[in-house]
Amino acid sequence: MSNIALILLGAGDSSRFCLSALSSSETIHKSVQKLRLPKKQWLRVGEIPLWLKVALDFRDIYPFSRCILSAKSTEIKYMQKYLDAFSLDFVLVKGGSTRQESLKNALIMLEDFVEYVLVSDIARCNSAFLSQRVLKEIGNYDCIVPYLKLNDTIVYSNGSKLDYLKRDNLKIIQTPQLSRLNVLKSALENGDFTDESSAIFAQGGSIGFVQGAAEAKKLTFLEDLKTIPLPNPSTHTLVGSGSDIHALDKGEGILLGCVVIPCEFRLIAHSDGDVCLHALSDALLGAIGFGDIGEWFPDNDPAYKGANSADLLRIIVDFVRDVGYDILQADITIFAQKPKISPYKNAMEKKISEILQINVFKVNVKATTTEKLGFIGKGEGILVQASVVLEYFDWKKIISL
């Protein structure tokens, strides 16, 4: 069995990537400033997320004894669906607040027989081929690192003091990096480091260098997508549907589609009872294939007693955008004999469009009765059905503006 394990780090918040849109060119800024950009590890190449593309690339490089992928805790369950679909035997590990914490969490999962660990960043999304160069040096150093030379003049500025550095002595460090497992574990306990080589070097370990590659550039900022060769995102659309029912009782008004409707009823529910937003939440989760609102916010959990349904929907909308989707359209039908819904439809459309972050003309709310048939016709409850249309976030379009 191989004594080399693989760790891919993909638990970051992509804060620099998302914030870079605000400091990009004015054209790009205007096109993205009102949107929540996906996390860079969830940008789509075809229909698959970038992290999965990287995992598939590394899988074909070497028969690693164990493959570990660090991830945000809120995304682990969703990522597992992709791993299962592609029969990838990766172990998902909760990441930390820093790269080093994520790496330490992953190292805990390695067995005693593992002697070496190859570590790379999901953000360095075209670097798997460098593994072959790194692995050829196995056994010669405590850490083997791909690097690039600098071609430009480099100056270090410290206040009024300038120091021109000899570029032949400077290296740009890349990943993947191959380290002796026991040396790396020990080194990470002795400070904060940005990569494996700096940690091992600080402990006196030996560092070996192999030639890196410009195409293995790390994806850090939005503008980097212009120079990193990646397949286009899929242009396919995805459709989701959702429905929800709540019983009516005597009361002083209901909340529907974020709008308060004065009437002699109330909706019986664990949360605030906004059946319209509940159906819409299920439609969004259906479109991305990730459960339903009851799984996300169980009605037997005291934490969601009286919860604001708009806040719950915002959490789902943010997740949908984080993992690489754009919301195109929402269509909602409300089945209610009482109270009368029609006067409030436009207000609902406006509120819902704000939460979904789409134009109001892409949201449609319809209301109908059941001609006094069934429990709805008897005024015992309200049923809402919702449909949504999504697409994969088109990052190619954004960077071409």
Side-chain angles (χ1 to χ4, degrees):
M1 179 178 288
S2 166
N3 65 348
I4 305 175
L6 170 69
I7 294 176
L8 299 178
L9 300 172
D13 289 321
S14 295
S15 55
R16 287 183 294 175
F17 177 77
C18 295
L19 289 174
S20 67
L22 302 180
S23 58
S24 298
S25 70
E26 186 66 17
T27 302
I28 292 181
H29 169 65
K30 286 181 179 179
S31 67
V32 300
Q33 62 179 338
K34 294 182 180 180
L35 290 178
R36 184 184 181 101
L37 288 181
K39 295 180 179 179
K40 58 188 176 185
Q41 59 265 40
W42 283 97
L43 293 175
R44 300 295 166 139
V45 289
E47 291 190 321
I48 68 171
L50 188 60
W51 67 262
L52 181 58
K53 178 261 186 199
V54 175
L56 290 167
D57 288 347
F58 273 91
R59 180 194 63 176
D60 296 335
I61 292 294
Y62 185 85
F64 297 101
S65 61
R66 195 164 204 196
C67 298
I68 298 174
L69 178 59
S70 74
K72 296 292 289 186
S73 59
T74 53
E75 298 168 11
I76 285 177
K77 186 177 178 181
Y78 194 46
M79 293 172 73
Q80 189 63 56
K81 290 194 70 173
Y82 283 89
L83 293 176
D84 292 344
F86 284 81
S87 300
L88 274 179
D89 189 20
F90 272 70
V91 177
L92 290 167
V93 174
K94 178 182 176 182
S97 59
T98 65
R99 182 187 188 276
Q100 184 164 326
E101 286 183 16
S102 295
L103 177 55
K104 290 170 73 173
N105 289 351
L107 290 173
I108 294 172
M109 305 300 295
L110 297 183
E111 298 89 344
D112 293 338
F113 66 81
V114 172
E115 187 176 357
Y116 295 92
V117 58
L118 186 75
V119 180
S120 195
D121 302 284
I122 294 298
R124 206 171 291 278
C125 47
N126 285 330
S127 65
F129 70 96
L130 291 177
S131 302
Q132 300 288 15
R133 302 179 189 177
V134 170
L135 289 169
K136 286 181 180 179
E137 296 296 323
I138 190 169
N140 295 331
Y141 304 93
D142 293 322
C143 185
I144 303 150
V145 185
Y147 80 99
L148 293 177
K149 295 179 179 179
L150 279 83
N151 299 318
D152 298 316
T153 299
I154 304 296
V155 62
Y156 173 73
S157 175
N158 184 11
S160 60
K161 182 181 178 181
L162 299 179
D163 189 5
Y164 280 82
L165 305 179
K166 189 174 181 180
R167 63 190 178 195
D168 290 344
N169 294 336
L170 300 175
K171 292 179 172 62
I172 299 174
I173 300 300
Q174 298 182 311
T175 63
Q177 298 181 16
L178 183 69
S179 304
R180 295 186 192 273
L181 179 58
N182 61 339
V183 176
L184 178 58
K185 280 185 173 182
S186 176
L188 292 176
E189 299 301 324
N190 296 319
D192 297 324
F193 305 96
T194 56
D195 75 333
E196 298 75 64
S197 68
S198 57
I200 290 175
F201 177 78
Q203 186 169 280
S206 59
I207 309 297
F209 296 97
V210 298
Q211 184 63 44
E215 56 266 38
K217 178 180 180 180
K218 186 177 181 182
L219 173 58
T220 303
F221 304 109
L222 183 66
E223 291 282 344
D224 292 336
L225 287 168
K226 292 183 176 181
T227 54
I228 295 178
L230 288 172
N232 292 340
S234 170
T235 58
H236 292 169
T237 55
L238 304 97
V239 176
S241 63
S243 62
D244 198 22
I245 300 170
H246 280 299
L248 287 169
D249 199 358
K250 291 183 179 181
E252 298 179 351
I254 65 172
L255 183 66
L256 202 60
C258 281
V259 176
V260 175
I261 301 176
C263 61
E264 68 275 24
F265 302 103
R266 70 178 181 91
L267 284 163
I268 301 173
H270 183 66
S271 65
D272 62 13
D274 195 329
V275 61
C276 184
L277 298 193
H278 297 172
L280 185 56
S281 296
D282 269 358
L284 288 168
L285 293 172
I288 69 170
F290 197 31
D292 56 52
I293 190 173
E295 296 176 40
W296 278 57
F297 313 111
D299 60 8
N300 57 1
D301 188 337
Y304 303 115
K305 177 68 175 177
N308 185 316
S309 296
D311 290 341
L312 303 185
L313 177 58
R314 289 187 184 96
I315 292 172
I316 292 172
V317 169
D318 285 348
F319 183 87
V320 167
R321 293 194 180 281
D322 280 349
V323 298
Y325 301 94
D326 266 345
I327 303 169
L328 297 185
Q329 182 182 355
D331 185 38
I332 301 162
T333 303
I334 302 170
F335 297 85
Q337 195 71 39
K338 296 179 181 180
K340 192 171 182 61
I341 305 298
S342 295
Y344 304 96
K345 292 192 300 181
N346 290 344
M348 291 181 193
E349 290 170 350
K350 186 174 186 299
K351 293 285 189 179
I352 291 170
S353 71
E354 291 170 355
I355 296 174
L356 299 184
Q357 303 170 48
I358 61 177
N359 287 318
V360 68
F361 61 77
K362 294 183 178 180
V363 177
N364 188 51
V365 175
K366 308 184 295 293
T368 185
T369 68
T370 59
E371 302 295 336
K372 298 184 179 181
L373 297 174
F375 74 92
I376 295 173
K378 295 176 183 178
E380 296 175 352
I382 293 177
L383 165 67
V384 177
Q385 294 180 337
S387 298
V388 295
V389 179
L390 310 184
E391 68 178 357
Y392 297 107
F393 177 77
D394 192 351
W395 51 270
K396 283 281 189 178
K397 183 184 298 183
I398 295 296
I399 64 173
S400 66
L401 293 175

